[in-house]
Amino acid sequence: MNQQEGYADDIVKGFVIWSMVWGLVAVLVGVFISFQIAFPQLNFPPYLTYGRLRPIHTNAGIFGWGIGSFMAFFIYITQRLTRTSLWSPGLAKAQLWLFNIVIALAAVTLAMGMNRSKEYAELEWPVASLVVVLWVIFAVNIVMTIVKRREEQMYISLWYILATLVGVAVLYLVNNAAIPVSLTKSYSAYAGANDANVQWWYGHNAVAMVLTTPPLAIFYYFLPKATGVPIYSHRMGVIAFWSLIFMYLWTGAHHLLWAPVPDWVQTLAMGFSVMLIAPSWAAVFNGYFSMNGQWHQMRENYLVKFLIFGITFYGLQTLQGPSQSIRTFSAFIHFTDWVPGHVHMGTLGWVSLVLFAAIYYTIPRLYHSEIYSIGLANVHFWLVLTGQLIFSITMWIAGVQQAAMLNATNPDGSLHYSFIETMVELYPYWHMRAVGGVIYLAGLLVFLYNIYQTIAGAKTQAVAQRA
């Protein structure tokens, strides 16, 4: 525990370090499977195939890197915004151990082929049950800290934190309802179209409650900290928060357009998806307007680059997403490589850039030191930005070409191109995606080296001072 402030910052250190470990695993596996698509001979059955490795990549990225970092910063932010030490540091230590056990079990069981075949909910019931226990421990600790807060004002970040805690709990419990038939196998409690409805209500709201509300909480806290100026409008932030939470819950069925679910469900999802542009861009404008008179910091302050580019990618993401929810556009690009381009703009651009900034800000303060190298931080920024843009733009172009070829017909109505002809045309794009992934990985390694040297230097300095 940080004795000076009375905050449980040792726990924050643990979560930050382990989230970076799992983040590296996620990117390494992601780069490898991108090469597997470009060079199929790199698939080695049964364990090192794309089908086994892809869910390890997504789970390590979203839950290992994402949730691990969010746990770190929720604990860090909540203590400071409430001016209250963590309710139970002992419970948080148990949470850190359980978190790593769950992520490791997820990797092992998925590699062994134990998979429920539900997007972002692949884990079989024993591991999923541990996830529930983990989340309850986490939620109770954060909520109790907020309850006994010494600061009456609830800053916008705390609202996003509470929404995440409640939203993830409801989504995970409902979608993971299953009937176990053995220790390694279960079947969904829902059937047919109902199962699809529940799955994509969960799937898209997992994007809301894992990849939107947590990074927004972090962005709203660290942008003022990095720039030294307050957020433009707290009121606009709160209004946008409540609008976002209400609208997001209705959008999941836009993943099921043209599917055998009721038309009114699809139309409702489309309508709310388009409406989401307003609260999403309210956060973007709040970030931009907060920079009035401060844009010079984009050159001078490396943290600001990460945060502003991150919120910019969030803005682009929340224009693309609603566009993709329209029936005609969805019919064109659904099931094409456009979709991974869209997803990775969010994960590699929006979420990760904000987390990089938060880690760069907190690590020197947690270890009472300075960042090892601002120059390396800038190199890291340009590498990950370049890698992400190559990845996403390449996939968007590939998706449009793929969609055009798959939809092309002859005068008699037959398909003009076979599936194989379409796939062959995609190989150059898959090669470029792999290159983009390697560049992003290089940036991540620079980041990890910079953080490692910062921590090592702080420890060396502490030893010297004691001597």
Side-chain angles (χ1 to χ4, degrees), residues 262-298:
D263 278 351
W264 72 266
V265 174
Q266 299 179 37
T267 303
L268 189 72
M270 286 171 50
F272 276 103
S273 297
V274 173
M275 289 164 62
L276 265 176
I277 294 173
S280 301
W281 269 82
V284 179
F285 287 136
N286 226 349
Y288 286 170
F289 291 161
S290 298
M291 293 296 294
N292 282 341
Q294 300 295 326
W295 286 106
H296 59 90
Q297 292 200 44
M298 289 288 287

Side-chain angles (χ1 to χ4, degrees), residues 8 68 133 213-214 267-268 271 286 322 325 342 351-352 361 377 402 418 435 437 442 458:
V133 174
T213 54
T267 303
L268 189 72
N286 226 349
S325 72
H342 166 72
V351 178
S352 292
Y361 179 92
Q402 185 181 12
S418 69
V435 169

Side-chain angles (χ1 to χ4, degrees), residues 6 24 43-44 60 71 102 174 215 238-240 266 280 292 304 422 453:
L24 177 61
N43 286 266
F44 304 104
M71 287 177 169
V102 166
V174 173
V238 172
I239 294 171
Q266 299 179 37
S280 301
N292 282 341
V304 174
T422 303
Q453 290 289 11

Side-chain angles (χ1 to χ4, degrees), residues 256-261 266 326-332:
L256 300 171
L257 300 179
W258 306 103
V261 297
Q266 299 179 37
I326 305 300
R327 278 195 179 92
T328 49
F329 191 35
S330 177
F332 185 68

